[in-house]
Amino acid sequence: MVLEREGFSGVTKLLEEKFPSEENPFSVRTGDFGEVVGHIVLRDIFGLTIPVFKLRFKTNWERAAFGIDIIAFRLHDEDHQRDAVVFAEVKTSKDKSYGVKKVFEEIESLVAEGQSEVKNKMRNAIRFVSERLFEQGQYELEQRIYRFLDCYANPHYVEAFVPLLVRDKQTWDEDALEGITLNKLNPNQVLLCIFLLGNLEEAIQAAYELAATVEALSG
């Protein structure tokens, strides 16, 4: 590791102890990195609001976070009735095909029939965001978000379902999308995003080294 070679042993210790380990190409660290990229894409490119960053509430850094990957909102301050929610699932890999079919299956599972109110994924995602906002004292925003609790029964509340792929530009090929079909969702409801990085492995390593460096300096 570059940081260890340069004498930053404390930083490498943080990487080893606090952040997910990188033991295989489809590790938790890779997945978490992809979720961060997904947040940036939805916030900075599509102009959505993401009031709660779910990864901050992970209790086990060696496992993937629970529930829907990203819950974002299109908020209209001039007319709250136009507010809408966006649900995104993210799959990150250097392998062009890994997780492609799975991410579409996960998106479609959100509208699967027969879900009980307790186990409804969209409802639980909205409740999670609402509860975190309430804990933070953001009561007005919490009320705006809480009304989406019934988005499963009110499809017009949902602006889009987003399957988001983070891939390595050197290995990506659009033929990985061949054979993908939608059985439960209208294609007009689905926004496929593919974010390509020049070297995915180096980007992940650099991101975690930077995060550990910042934490070490702030501590």
Side-chain angles (χ1 to χ4, degrees):
M1 185 178 291
V2 174
L3 288 171
E4 189 168 22
R5 189 170 65 242
E6 297 298 325
F8 292 92
S9 57
V11 173
T12 57
K13 190 170 187 294
L14 270 173
L15 281 170
E16 293 168 357
E17 295 182 356
K18 182 160 186 178
F19 295 100
S21 57
E22 184 73 8
E23 297 177 349
N24 60 70
F26 308 137
S27 72
V28 173
R29 182 179 289 198
T30 300
D32 286 356
F33 173 83
E35 285 194 34
V36 173
V37 170
H39 276 78
I40 295 170
V41 169
L42 295 179
R43 184 193 65 196
D44 294 354
I45 297 178
F46 292 98
L48 297 172
T49 297
I50 305 176
V52 173
F53 186 41
K54 190 161 67 75
L55 285 177
R56 289 178 177 158
F57 297 90
K58 284 185 67 169
T59 56
N60 184 347
W61 284 98
E62 292 300 328
R63 300 189 65 178
F66 61 90
I68 299 171
D69 289 339
I70 304 174
I71 309 102
F73 301 87
R74 178 84 64 193
L75 300 178
H76 299 271
D77 290 338
E78 70 283 0
D79 183 3
H80 293 187
Q81 295 304 311
R82 295 174 58 204
D83 291 351
V85 61
V86 172
F87 297 106
E89 294 286 0
V90 186
K91 287 290 178 285
T92 306
S93 177
K94 188 175 181 179
D95 184 318
K96 69 176 183 179
S97 299
Y98 172 78
V100 174
K101 183 179 180 181
K102 182 68 174 176
V103 77
F104 282 92
E105 290 175 348
E106 290 178 354
I107 285 293
E108 289 218 297
S109 74
L110 302 183
V111 296
E113 296 179 359
Q115 297 184 63
S116 68
E117 184 173 300
V118 174
K119 294 184 178 180
N120 185 278
K121 295 178 181 179
M122 292 191 290
R123 187 180 181 88
N124 288 337
I126 295 297
R127 182 182 289 111
F128 173 80
V129 174
S130 178
E131 289 174 351
R132 301 295 80 74
L133 291 173
F134 186 86
E135 291 168 357
Q136 296 166 14
Q138 299 188 57
Y139 303 122
E140 182 178 347
L141 181 56
E142 184 271 336
Q143 285 299 306
R144 288 177 71 176
I145 300 305
Y146 186 79
R147 70 186 183 87
F148 290 114
L149 203 61
D150 293 323
C151 59
Y152 179 78
N154 296 276
H156 63 279
Y157 283 164
V158 182
E159 177 176 316
F161 296 93
V162 181
L164 198 155
L165 301 172
V166 180
R167 290 295 187 265
D168 193 306
K169 188 183 297 184
Q170 301 172 70
T171 58
W172 171 250
D173 192 314
E174 289 189 2
D175 64 8
L177 297 171
E178 290 183 3
I180 298 296
T181 58
L182 294 170
N183 300 310
K184 301 180 180 69
L185 285 170
N186 185 318
N188 293 329
Q189 292 179 286
V190 178
L191 175 63
L192 171 62
C193 294
I194 303 170
F195 192 85
L196 302 179
L197 288 164
N199 188 311
L200 181 60
E201 290 182 354
E202 287 186 2
I204 293 170
Q205 185 63 34
Y208 276 94
E209 289 187 354
L210 178 61
T213 302
V214 170
E215 179 151 343
L217 292 174
S218 62

